[in-house]
Amino acid sequence: MSNSTPPTLPAADRPEVAARLRDALLGASFTADGLLDLLGAPAYAALARSETLPALRATRGDTPLETLVRLFLLQQPVPHARVRDVLPVAACVDSGWLAPVGGDEVAATVDVRPYGGPGGEDWFIVSDLGCAVGGAGGIGSREEAVVLGVGGASTTLAGITVRTPVAAALDLGTGSGIQALHAAQHATRVTATDVNPRALHITALTLALSGAPAADLREGSLFDPVRDDETYDLIVSNPPFVISPGARLTYRDGGMGGDDLCRSLVQRAGDHLREGGFAQFLANWQHVEGEDWQDRLRSWVPRGCDAWIVQREVQDVTQYAELWLRDAGDHRGDPAAYEALYDAWLDEFEARKVKAVGFGWITLRRTASDAPSITVEEWPHPVEQPLGDTVRAHFDRVDRLRALDDAALLAAHFRLADEVIQEQVGLPGAEDPEHVVLRQHRGMRRATKVDTVGAGFAGVCDGSLSAGRILDAIAQLVGEDPVLLRDRTPAQIRLLVEQGFLESTD
């Protein structure tokens, strides 16, 4: 890894220059849609894989958009004469967005990547040179305190975040400011923290260049810059969650032992959430020999909070170590040094009795209930982003179910949610199917196996009859005691409601 000093950043206190630069970028269609139109899908997708050659081939002309792509995304020096027809060069050089190189060329001092907002907004994410594309893979600098641009984790967190209007939002470990930028669209006040002062500077640039309000930027690790009495309606964090020996890379390695950073982040969030507020994180967690991973995560949830934790992926320790060693480019260096690092990772896991590492989402909601709900599940299958509304609806259903005892549940009316289909699996010609599965085609896209009663119940739920009346009719059809059926079925109904297969019509 290079120990050279990262380049000087553009001035963050020149909003008028950022506004002029933004107008120029938009005027040249330097947007997510404009980029796709210019490069074509293959070259556009290659950028996300850190492959720049297709984009270089697609920008050999001299149009304003090609000039900007080569300048800000591909880090190519461009003749001054070409740039001055597109950008306010003097102002950009004076404020540090551009730097003179050679005799008659200028180069960008930061990466600027077009980023489409959820409502079609044209935003721009600023990051360190070489780090706007390809996530942690980057295309250049691998400095310890480097600030990355948009990666898969960033967009995942942005997609699952609940987007209701709030008074105050907090972005912990803001990086290049992606989550703060999203939050600024629906929060009156946004606070962002980061242990890396360079990240706070770049966040200010991202917000200014995207035309978003400035945020309250605070230097420090995660909650450390937040006062004990400060509370928020929304807390989000894509933290440095990688479980590694040491903390070589600030942007990804937490520096605490094992998964302690993620555990601490979740546990401390409860003290800073307002009633009904959400805290949403990406995290890694250890699968420890002799422990149930779900119990481990339940122990993280702070008192007074409902929780929904979804494990999206699990890797054994060798896969995990290889992934993050490659992320840092260690596999491209000295083979002996790579083997020594690999060995150190495996030693760390062995000492902690870690057999695998899970990755997923953690959502907390502050509740006044005496019986908080904690759901921990594994769902590695494709989902439909954005999921913010799906997350909010999950907790709405938790509230609804918590207010219903079994008698009230059976008196309630439900209907089958939209776009749920029933699949029957069995041998051809068999009288009865071996399995009946309900499958969603929206949101989490869940699939759940149900028995004959569950399938029959879901099939006739249209809101016209109470759950109890439907069970009575099913009991008569299958020749079962209706009282016994009423006793054993509420748990299955609750699960179908909680997972969104059934919706209350009351």
Side-chain angles (χ1 to χ4, degrees):
M1 181 182 302
S2 170
N3 292 317
S4 60
T5 302
T8 302
L9 294 171
D13 58 352
R14 299 284 301 275
E16 74 285 355
V17 178
R20 291 178 64 190
L21 177 56
R22 172 178 171 79
D23 289 343
L25 297 178
L26 293 176
S29 296
F30 187 66
T31 64
D33 289 341
L35 203 61
L36 180 59
D37 289 342
L38 170 67
L39 302 180
Y44 188 81
L47 278 178
R49 301 192 301 270
S50 307
E51 295 291 348
T52 59
L53 182 61
L56 286 168
R57 291 174 59 86
T59 56
R60 289 179 288 194
D62 58 1
T63 67
L65 181 54
E66 288 170 298
T67 296
L68 293 175
V69 171
R70 294 181 74 86
L71 188 65
F72 285 116
L73 270 185
L74 303 178
Q75 288 86 64
Q76 300 297 305
V78 178
H80 186 284
R82 282 181 57 185
V83 178
R84 70 185 179 196
D85 293 333
V86 185
L87 300 176
V89 176
C92 287
V93 170
D94 181 59
S95 61
W97 288 94
L98 300 176
V101 293
D104 61 350
E105 294 182 320
V106 292
T109 59
V110 288
D111 274 320
V112 176
R113 178 172 181 171
Y115 179 72
E121 302 92 344
D122 289 317
W123 293 338
F124 301 97
I125 307 300
V126 181
S127 62
D128 269 315
L129 287 173
C131 298
V133 296
I139 55 176
S141 174
R142 307 299 299 134
E143 304 295 338
E144 178 183 349
V146 74
V147 180
L148 301 184
V150 180
S154 302
T155 55
T156 294
L157 179 59
I160 67 173
T161 300
V162 176
R163 298 295 176 194
T164 53
V166 296
L170 174 63
D171 177 15
L172 299 170
T174 186
S176 57
I178 301 165
Q179 309 308 325
L181 177 58
H182 278 276
Q185 312 309 306
H186 63 103
T188 304
R189 177 171 57 88
V190 177
T191 301
T193 73
D194 205 290
V195 71
N196 182 3
R198 190 174 183 84
L200 297 176
H201 191 135
I202 284 180
T203 291
L205 298 176
T206 289
L207 295 174
L209 196 58
S210 298
D216 177 8
L217 305 176
R218 304 183 189 179
E219 183 179 345
S221 178
L222 302 175
F223 282 110
D224 289 352
V226 179
R227 297 193 312 271
D228 291 343
D229 62 346
E230 285 186 285
T231 57
Y232 299 86
D233 306 289
L234 175 67
I235 300 173
V236 294
S237 183
N238 175 21
F241 52 66
V242 176
I243 300 171
S244 63
R248 287 193 303 150
L249 301 176
T250 302
Y251 67 85
R252 68 162 209 195
D253 299 327
M256 296 185 184
D259 52 16
D260 284 353
L261 183 138
C262 291
R263 175 187 55 78
S264 175
L265 179 65
V266 173
Q267 291 178 337
R268 294 177 67 183
D271 295 332
H272 297 283
L273 270 182
R274 296 174 181 172
E275 190 69 33
F278 287 92
Q280 299 186 260
F281 315 108
L282 301 185
N284 276 181
W285 44 79
Q286 298 172 150
H287 285 229
V288 179
E289 187 177 343
E291 290 186 15
D292 184 303
W293 69 270
Q294 294 185 333
D295 289 342
R296 181 183 188 84
L297 290 176
R298 288 189 184 95
S299 73
W300 291 9
V301 178
R303 290 185 178 182
C305 289
D306 294 324
W308 184 21
I309 302 173
V310 182
Q311 180 167 272
R312 295 288 291 156
E313 184 179 2
V314 181
Q315 291 184 317
D316 67 52
V317 293
T318 60
Q319 292 174 308
Y320 188 81
E322 290 163 12
L323 169 67
W324 293 109
L325 289 171
R326 288 178 178 274
D327 165 80
D330 294 315
H331 64 298
R332 294 193 293 265
D334 176 30
Y338 171 74
E339 290 181 6
L341 286 169
Y342 196 165
D343 207 32
W345 282 64
L346 297 185
D347 282 344
E348 178 83 2
F349 288 131
E350 184 177 345
R352 294 181 174 276
K353 297 184 179 180
V354 176
K355 58 184 180 179
V357 177
F359 167 81
W361 318 325
I362 298 177
T363 300
L364 308 177
R365 185 190 59 169
R366 191 76 186 178
T367 178
S369 173
D370 294 330
S373 166
I374 301 177
T375 300
V376 184
E377 62 178 314
E378 184 168 17
W379 187 250
H381 308 294
V383 298
E384 181 188 43
Q385 285 276 35
L387 275 172
D389 288 344
T390 299
V391 172
R392 179 183 50 77
H394 167 86
F395 288 94
D396 288 345
R397 293 192 296 268
V398 165
D399 280 342
R400 172 69 175 156
L401 290 170
R402 190 157 43 201
L404 299 176
D405 59 18
D406 284 355
L409 181 76
L410 294 176
H413 295 68
F414 301 96
R415 73 175 188 88
L416 193 65
D418 293 335
E419 300 198 34
V420 173
I421 63 170
Q422 177 177 304
E423 299 175 355
Q424 297 187 170
V425 181
L427 295 173
E431 184 174 346
D432 296 311
E434 295 178 17
H435 304 293
V436 179
V437 175
L438 299 180
R439 187 178 302 277
Q440 300 167 343
H441 280 251
R442 301 297 303 273
M444 289 292 288
R445 293 177 175 167
R446 295 182 185 276
T448 188
K449 189 186 298 184
V450 293
D451 60 17
T452 303
V453 171
F457 182 87
V460 298
C461 272
D462 60 4
S464 61
L465 296 176
S466 68
R469 291 282 302 276
I470 294 174
L471 290 180
D472 291 342
I474 292 175
Q476 186 174 4
L477 286 173
V478 300
E480 187 169 341
D481 185 330
V483 175
L484 294 178
L485 190 60
R486 280 174 171 254
D487 285 343
R488 70 176 178 85
T489 308
Q492 188 175 11
I493 296 174
R494 287 182 184 277
L495 183 62
L496 292 175
V497 173
E498 181 181 328
Q499 293 187 343
F501 289 95
L502 298 177
E503 298 176 346
S504 172
T505 62
D506 296 327

